[in-house]
Amino acid sequence: MEPIKNWLQRNLKGDPVLWGIVILFSLISIAVVYSATGTLAYKKMGGNTEYFLIKHTGLILVGLFFMWLAHRIDYRYYSRLSLYALLLSVPLLLFTFFFGGTTLNDASRWLTIPVINQTFQPSDLAKLALIAHLASMLSRRQQHVQDFKTTLLPVMLWVGLICGIIIMSNASTALLLFITCLLLMFIGRVPLKQMAVMVAIGLVVGGVGLASGQRYKTVMSRVSSFTDKSKPVPFQLEHSYIAIATGGVTGKGPGKSTERNILPHPYSDFIYAVIIEEYGLVGGTFVLFLYLAFLYRGLKTVMNSAGAFGGLLSAGLSFSLVLQAMVNMGVAVGLGPITGLPLPLLSMGGTSLIFTGISIGIILAVSRGEREVRPMVGEPADTARIPRVAMG
């Protein structure tokens, strides 16, 4: 056991509890996705019920590999890379919107990567890049955080541009990203008056983007179905409720879900309903606890960060992942309109698992405790000397 312990200490740096949470999520994901895709695999893969199990397990391993790579890098390099990633994201988002070859529900969100024939959502790259660049901008401007022209204007331009493009094809992702940016601004000590201006401009840009995009009718229909109780419960939610109600306290048991054969996308959008059906209230509560534990460890990394960039970066990425999880679980139990957002770390996915892995790897890189007071070559002095991030 001692050689294994030494190997783990040498190769898995950062918060060990966070590593444990992610590995536990991965094991749960493999088990639940295998159950949720059994019928789909039988129908589409000629009875090969292990097809999606093997594919999903492989993608999880790839995601863990990218997480390991990301956590080995000095996280301050992400401050530089974020701008280039944003500059790449804008044309990719626009190209996907106008010419995206892979669509779902009349929304152009995916590009197909040649050779490997794997779909890719540019919004995944844009989310990661915007959060990292916003953390970088706020950390560099801590001494001028109340200056509208110096701080709010560049923040407003990038957040408005990225969220405005994303909302044309994916309203829920854009809204969650915008909320994450607001939380990041609050932690970064941006005055509430400036944040109010940001919200007002966000409403205008979001409204225009939604009205001119592909999802206006779908969004309005889903909001109306949620708020108007006289309308029948949507098909997805009806069977999600049935799965949750029949799961009881301890569930039907692994692999014994019946609603997986009826629910649309039981392996992604409504995987939480399948979890409760098979593992009951106990299993659903345990998954919720894991997400809260993930958020706690992410925020603990914020508090232990030596400088503002590391703290803001960890906070933004932690909030982004956990907020999406809360929305997905809330939809499954009827606390919000249907969004189509997958459950991070648990839903079956493609390249999204890689970007999730990179995000967690960056949080782990911050948790390694590298101090920002050691200036990097070519790095502005104010980035290296800013005070510890303020949490209130």
Side-chain angles (χ1 to χ4, degrees):
M1 292 297 294
E2 193 65 29
I4 297 177
K5 182 180 178 181
N6 293 334
W7 184 89
L8 291 174
Q9 289 177 344
R10 288 196 308 269
N11 292 277
L12 304 184
K13 303 292 185 179
D15 187 350
V17 177
L18 200 55
W19 273 106
I21 292 172
V22 173
I23 292 172
L24 193 53
F25 266 128
S26 300
L27 295 175
I28 295 172
S29 177
I30 291 171
V32 179
V33 167
Y34 179 44
S35 174
T37 57
T39 302
L40 178 67
Y42 184 82
K43 291 179 179 179
K44 290 194 173 183
M45 307 310 300
N48 182 11
T49 55
E50 284 74 34
Y51 173 80
F52 290 108
L53 169 66
I54 297 171
K55 180 180 179 181
H56 181 63
T57 302
L59 287 170
I60 282 182
L61 292 175
V62 171
L64 289 173
F65 173 72
F66 274 91
M67 183 175 77
W68 179 82
L69 279 182
H71 105 287
R72 300 288 297 184
I73 299 173
D74 187 329
Y75 68 87
R76 292 172 297 176
Y77 283 108
Y78 296 113
S79 176
R80 301 176 181 179
L81 294 174
S82 62
L83 178 59
Y84 299 111
L86 271 183
L87 293 174
L88 176 63
S89 297
V90 174
L92 281 177
L93 287 170
L94 291 173
F95 181 84
T96 303
F97 178 76
F98 289 108
F99 308 107
T102 306
T103 61
L104 181 64
N105 296 331
D106 299 322
S108 301
R109 302 176 185 173
W110 291 266
L111 289 177
T112 301
I113 303 175
V115 182
I116 64 174
N117 197 33
Q118 180 68 51
T119 56
F120 159 66
Q121 283 198 72
S123 60
D124 290 331
L125 173 63
K127 283 193 302 181
L128 179 58
L130 180 60
I131 291 171
H133 192 59
L134 181 56
S136 177
M137 288 191 292
L138 290 174
S139 66
R140 292 168 182 264
R141 294 165 172 82
Q142 283 291 292
Q143 307 303 325
H144 311 284
V145 75
Q146 298 188 9
D147 188 294
F148 179 87
K149 183 178 180 181
T150 303
T151 302
L152 185 63
L153 188 59
V155 167
M156 184 175 61
L157 289 174
W158 275 118
V159 174
L161 178 62
I162 298 299
C163 292
I165 298 175
I166 292 177
I167 202 173
M168 293 192 296
S169 59
N170 195 338
S172 52
T173 296
L175 180 59
L176 279 183
L177 180 57
F178 184 71
I179 292 173
T180 301
C181 291
L182 290 177
L183 287 171
L184 212 49
M185 292 170 68
F186 177 75
I187 295 172
R189 302 189 299 125
V190 174
L192 292 179
K193 290 183 179 179
Q194 293 193 16
M195 290 181 62
V197 173
M198 185 75 172
V199 171
I201 294 174
L203 290 173
V204 174
V205 173
V208 172
L210 185 62
S212 59
Q214 303 166 330
R215 303 292 287 168
Y216 179 77
K217 291 182 179 179
T218 301
V219 170
M220 292 298 103
S221 174
R222 288 178 173 177
V223 172
S224 176
S225 296
F226 176 72
T227 56
D228 189 352
K229 301 305 178 182
S230 64
K231 292 186 176 181
V233 177
F235 179 82
Q236 304 101 305
L237 281 181
E238 180 182 0
H239 287 279
S240 178
Y241 295 162
I242 294 173
I244 292 170
T246 56
V249 176
T250 58
K252 298 177 180 178
K256 295 182 179 180
S257 168
T258 54
E259 292 303 313
R260 65 183 176 181
N261 302 320
I262 306 171
L263 266 171
H265 309 295
Y267 44 81
S268 57
D269 300 357
F270 287 94
I271 196 170
Y272 191 61
V274 175
I275 291 173
I276 297 179
E277 185 182 9
E278 293 190 346
Y279 299 93
L281 180 62
V282 173
T285 303
F286 181 67
V287 168
L288 175 61
F289 168 77
L290 284 181
Y291 281 114
L292 294 177
F294 182 96
L295 180 62
Y296 170 75
R297 301 305 297 189
L299 294 181
K300 189 172 182 180
T301 298
V302 174
M303 298 301 295
N304 293 335
S305 175
F309 175 62
L312 290 168
L313 184 60
S314 179
L317 295 175
S318 299
F319 277 125
S320 176
L321 288 170
V322 177
L323 277 176
Q324 181 174 329
M326 294 300 167
V327 169
N328 177 282
M329 292 185 288
V331 168
V333 300
L335 296 179
I338 298 172
T339 62
L341 288 171
L343 189 57
L345 294 166
L346 288 179
S347 291
M348 185 174 73
T351 53
S352 61
L353 290 172
I354 294 176
F355 284 101
T356 299
I358 293 172
S359 298
I360 299 172
I362 294 173
I363 298 172
L364 287 167
V366 178
S367 74
R368 290 171 61 187
E370 294 174 332
R371 299 184 62 82
E372 294 181 67
V373 293
R374 295 181 288 105
M376 296 175 65
V377 177
E379 196 74 10
D382 59 344
T383 301
R385 297 193 176 98
I386 49 181
R388 185 183 299 270
V389 61
M391 289 298 294

